[in-house]
Amino acid sequence: MAARIDLNHRIHVLTKKEELDGVRIPGKVIVVLDILFATTTMVTALAHGATDIVPVLDEAAARTFGKDLAPGSFVLAGELYAETLRGFAHPAPLSLLEHGVEGKTVVYSTTNGTVAMTQAAAASRVYCGALLNARAIVERIVEQHARQTVLIVCSGSGNNFNFEDFYGAGYFVERFAELLGSAADFSDAAKAARMVYRNARAPEALLDCRVGRMMVAKGLAREVEFACRLDELPVVPVLESGRVRL
């Protein structure tokens, strides 16, 4: 467990990836959240033996990247507007595990989460976060980034706010508050996210949000329920040179 620190630790929450456009990214630590798709899937795949994840902007970029990889060494996975891309593995975590990822590179394209990862790449460190690994990431940040501002970035959806990402950000804020105590300096958005986390019940609230309802309608309720598990996978994926690795 990380010790408390005396220096103020500034923690902010951005409610959608588009807010990154107005933020000076270099020098900051960023945690990207796409709770019901991308980041939860990446965390899960790496925890179950994937070599690395290559987040790309779209289907064309994924197919182009795959051409340079050895046959059988990689998996293409992704969606566009919640529809699995033709010939790709399903991008939700349990479905991707069933497809098989151990020892493979996952070339991964989603509408929001992978876009947010690439937009954040200029930060001093970019972490891939989920409810599944929140505590592990918070402990790493407290240990290694005492003097840096932390941005918890909700991916959102098509320039819209997503409840599940804001809920997830609130859980991260809760963990920061536990470790930092009075050394934490939370923005108003961070405080609001924490209140949402404290007052919503999972998985019910996430099953009832817009993306959750869409996933339930597609027979993916188990994916939502899995994404709501807290601190089950103590892994710390980071984005380096265009790849997410442990």
Side-chain angles (χ1 to χ4, degrees):
M1 181 67 68
R4 293 186 179 225
I5 60 175
D6 295 327
L7 295 171
N8 279 349
H9 221 308
R10 302 191 67 187
I11 313 293
H12 300 271
V13 170
L14 302 186
T15 63
K16 53 187 179 180
K17 62 185 177 300
E18 288 76 13
E19 292 177 19
L20 282 168
D21 293 340
V23 173
R24 183 183 178 276
I25 295 175
K28 294 181 173 64
V29 173
I30 291 181
V31 181
V32 176
L33 303 179
D34 185 346
I35 294 297
L36 292 184
F37 265 114
T39 58
T40 293
T41 300
M42 289 189 271
V43 167
T44 302
L46 289 167
H48 288 83
T51 303
D52 53 9
I53 314 288
V54 181
V56 295
L57 289 174
D58 53 29
E59 176 184 357
R63 293 189 186 279
T64 298
F65 194 94
K67 290 178 181 178
D68 294 328
L69 300 176
S73 70
F74 68 97
V75 175
L76 296 179
E79 54 81 24
L80 181 63
Y81 306 122
E83 295 295 331
T84 304
L85 296 170
R86 181 177 55 83
F88 282 47
H90 196 286
L94 298 178
S95 299
L96 184 55
L97 287 187
E98 290 170 0
H99 180 86
V101 297
E102 187 171 0
K104 296 183 178 182
T105 291
V106 179
V107 184
Y108 193 68
S109 172
T110 65
T111 312
N112 299 292
T114 55
V115 174
M117 293 289 289
T118 57
Q119 289 177 336
S124 64
R125 178 66 83 187
V126 180
Y127 291 101
C128 179
L131 294 171
L132 293 164
N133 70 335
R135 181 178 293 276
I137 287 183
V138 169
E139 290 179 354
R140 178 69 59 85
I141 290 173
V142 170
E143 291 168 356
Q144 297 189 0
H145 305 286
R147 293 176 176 84
Q148 291 174 272
T149 296
V150 178
L151 303 179
I152 304 171
V153 178
C154 302
S155 293
S157 179
N159 203 19
N160 292 314
F161 169 92
N162 274 10
F163 175 86
E164 69 275 9
D165 294 342
F166 200 60
Y167 174 92
Y171 183 61
F172 272 78
V173 173
E174 187 84 316
R175 299 285 73 79
F176 275 116
E178 286 181 357
L179 287 182
L180 294 169
S182 61
D185 177 10
F186 295 123
S187 69
D188 285 351
K191 293 175 182 177
R194 187 186 186 190
M195 290 180 67
V196 167
Y197 165 72
R198 287 182 167 183
N199 288 280
R201 182 184 297 276
E204 292 83 358
L206 274 68
L207 287 164
D208 190 49
C209 70
R210 181 184 64 84
V211 175
R213 293 196 305 271
M214 175 193 69
M215 293 179 71
V216 170
K218 293 178 177 292
L220 300 173
R222 65 174 189 143
E223 301 281 10
V224 178
E225 293 164 354
F226 175 75
C228 291
R229 298 180 186 179
L230 303 179
D231 304 316
E232 187 166 297
L233 302 175
V235 295
V236 183
V238 298
L239 177 66
E240 293 182 333
S241 302
R243 295 177 184 242
V244 182
R245 298 184 173 97
L246 297 183

